[in-house]
């Protein structure tokens, strides 16, 4: 069914149904943008969960999760509505890129958008106004994409003084990841910063990436999504037969989680890591080296502080100024 995005309402439709929509949006290009939206509307009225994937067009774990959830959910068992957007940024997805080729904008830095801005800013505006603002909870599914290898984790707003913070943390702990990223502040431009401004609790995910889907990441995302639904009361409490138990050991890291603040390469060359993703490092510890093809070491890469190696460059060829790694402080006793 085709529909203009300005006419779309989250959860609109018959109780106990699944609906597949093609929403058309004017984003300032010659032709209107069409992007799919899937809705599963429970038999009983309740809360609305919004799930976004492919805000970055080279991240596929979320797309698989959305398609599997839509296929598997039985609306007859649900209380509330699940709205799934498999391609939040069709422009970037079409070229398998982190950014939109039409304007060079990273949509994860463009929220809350601009109704009169560039094509990507207009998409962000639609998502902010017509989707995030109407939801009771946001789950935004990300991974490392083409260039970054990232620990599998779930991130949340860490503020026990606010209802949004308390709700976000409780949902993060229900998700069932081994690593939680607690953010006491959020850089602007994100879907989750939009949600925070609107008073909507949220989570986001990260995973290894590399334009490949590891099975353990796919199963974590799927099981975690269902756990959040049960936590919200959208699904009954019985776990799926295939669903693994949540981890017994959980680590928690802090900081704003801004990959734009990653440590960068000082030289052009080939990156040879010696540390592994998820290692707990001390300041000065060797992470790897950048070498020339004649074997010379151009740069010894060392940890700048204590913490957990949460991101490591996935593609080995590197240029000066490109991101190499990110270390996040470990939080204890929480």
């Amino acid at each position: 069914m085709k529909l203009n995005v300005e006419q779309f309402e989250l959860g609109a439709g018959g109780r106990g149904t699944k609906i597949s929509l093609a929403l058309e949006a004017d984003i300032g290009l010659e032709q209107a943008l069409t992007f799919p939206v899937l809705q599963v509307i429970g038999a009983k009225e309740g809360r609305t969960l919004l799930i976004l994937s492919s805000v970055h067009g080279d991240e596929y774990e979320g797309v698989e999760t959305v398609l599997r959830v839509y296929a598997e959910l039985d609306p007859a068992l649900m209380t509330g509505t699940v709205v799934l957007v498999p391609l939040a940024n069709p422009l970037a997805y079409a070229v398998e890129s982190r950014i939109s080729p039409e304007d060079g904008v990273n949509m994860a830095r463009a929220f809350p958008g601009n109704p009169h801005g560039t094509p990507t800013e207009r998409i962000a505006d639609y998502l902010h106004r017509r989707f995030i603002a109407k939801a009771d909870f946001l789950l935004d599914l990300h991974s490392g994409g083409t260039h970054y290898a990232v620990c599998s984790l779930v991130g949340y707003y860490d503020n026990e003084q606010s209802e949004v913070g308390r709700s976000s943390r409780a949902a993060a702990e229900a998700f069932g990841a081994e690593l939680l990223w607690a953010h006491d502040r959020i850089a602007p431009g994100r879907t989750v910063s939009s949600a925070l401004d609107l008073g909507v609790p949220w989570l986001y995910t990260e995973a290894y990436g590399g334009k490949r889907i590891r099975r353990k990441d796919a199963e974590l995302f799927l099981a975690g999504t269902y756990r959040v639904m049960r936590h919200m009361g959208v699904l009954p409490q019985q776990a799926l037969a295939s669903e693994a138990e949540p981890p017994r050991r959980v680590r928690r890291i802090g900081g704003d989680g801004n990959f734009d603040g990653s440590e960068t390469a000082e030289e052009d060359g080939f990156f040879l890591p010696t540390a592994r993703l998820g290692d707990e490092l001390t300041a000065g510890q060797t992470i790897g080296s950048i070498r020339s093809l004649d074997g010379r070491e151009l740069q010894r890469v060392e940890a700048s502080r204590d913490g957990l190696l949460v991101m490591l460059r996935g593609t080995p060829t590197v240029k000066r100024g490109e991101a190499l790694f990110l270390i996040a402080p470990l939080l204890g006793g929480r």
Side-chain angles (χ1 to χ4, degrees), residues 5-253:
V5 69
E6 295 290 6
Q7 299 173 314
F8 172 71
E9 294 291 340
L10 265 67
R15 286 269 152 230
T17 61
K18 290 187 179 183
I19 302 172
S20 177
L21 298 170
L23 296 190
E24 293 187 337
D26 177 10
I27 59 170
L29 298 176
E30 187 174 337
Q31 292 184 334
L33 178 74
T34 300
F35 62 99
V37 173
L38 309 173
Q39 291 198 117
V40 186
I41 304 170
K44 299 178 182 178
E45 187 173 351
R47 303 172 73 191
T48 297
L49 171 64
L50 171 63
I51 305 176
L52 302 180
S53 69
S54 203
V55 167
H56 291 133
D58 61 347
E59 300 173 7
Y60 302 121
E61 292 85 348
V63 180
E64 176 177 319
T65 302
V66 161
L67 295 177
R68 289 177 70 180
V69 166
Y70 183 70
E72 294 176 9
L73 277 182
D74 182 353
L77 302 177
M78 291 171 47
T79 299
T81 300
V82 178
V83 180
L84 307 120
V85 183
L87 301 184
N89 188 353
L91 303 179
Y93 182 84
V95 293
E96 302 178 355
S97 173
R98 188 173 174 84
I99 65 172
S100 306
E102 285 77 3
D103 53 17
V105 173
N106 176 351
M107 196 165 79
R109 307 294 182 269
F111 282 84
N114 181 347
H116 309 293
T118 71
T120 305
E121 291 170 338
R122 294 190 188 199
I123 298 172
D125 170 67
Y126 287 128
L127 291 171
H128 174 82
R129 290 188 296 109
R130 306 301 303 176
F131 289 83
I132 299 174
K134 309 291 184 179
D136 294 306
F137 199 98
L138 168 66
L139 174 60
D140 189 6
L141 301 172
H142 284 266
S143 72
T146 303
H147 297 295
Y148 305 140
V150 184
C151 289
S152 301
L153 59 86
V154 62
Y156 68 95
Y157 181 48
D158 185 29
N159 185 342
E160 289 298 306
Q161 305 308 310
S162 77
E163 179 58 34
V164 171
R166 291 189 295 272
S167 296
S168 296
R169 175 169 178 159
E173 292 171 346
F175 190 93
E178 294 182 7
L179 182 62
L180 305 183
W181 203 337
H183 303 291
D184 59 2
R185 59 191 182 281
I186 298 295
R190 276 67 169 171
T191 58
V192 297
S193 60
S194 269
L196 190 58
D197 290 343
L198 292 163
V200 176
W202 53 265
L203 298 179
Y204 76 88
T205 64
E206 291 289 356
Y208 191 83
K211 299 175 81 170
R212 299 289 190 275
I213 302 175
R214 300 191 303 178
R215 282 302 92 199
K216 65 179 182 179
D217 290 331
E219 296 310 316
L220 170 64
F221 278 26
L222 185 66
T225 299
Y226 286 136
R227 289 186 187 114
V228 169
M229 290 182 199
R230 288 198 298 276
H231 174 74
M232 292 179 61
V234 173
L235 283 180
Q237 289 300 313
Q238 294 85 352
L240 299 177
S242 61
E243 187 176 313
E245 288 294 319
R248 294 183 178 179
R249 184 197 179 207
V250 174
R251 292 186 293 178
R252 205 179 301 259
I253 53 178

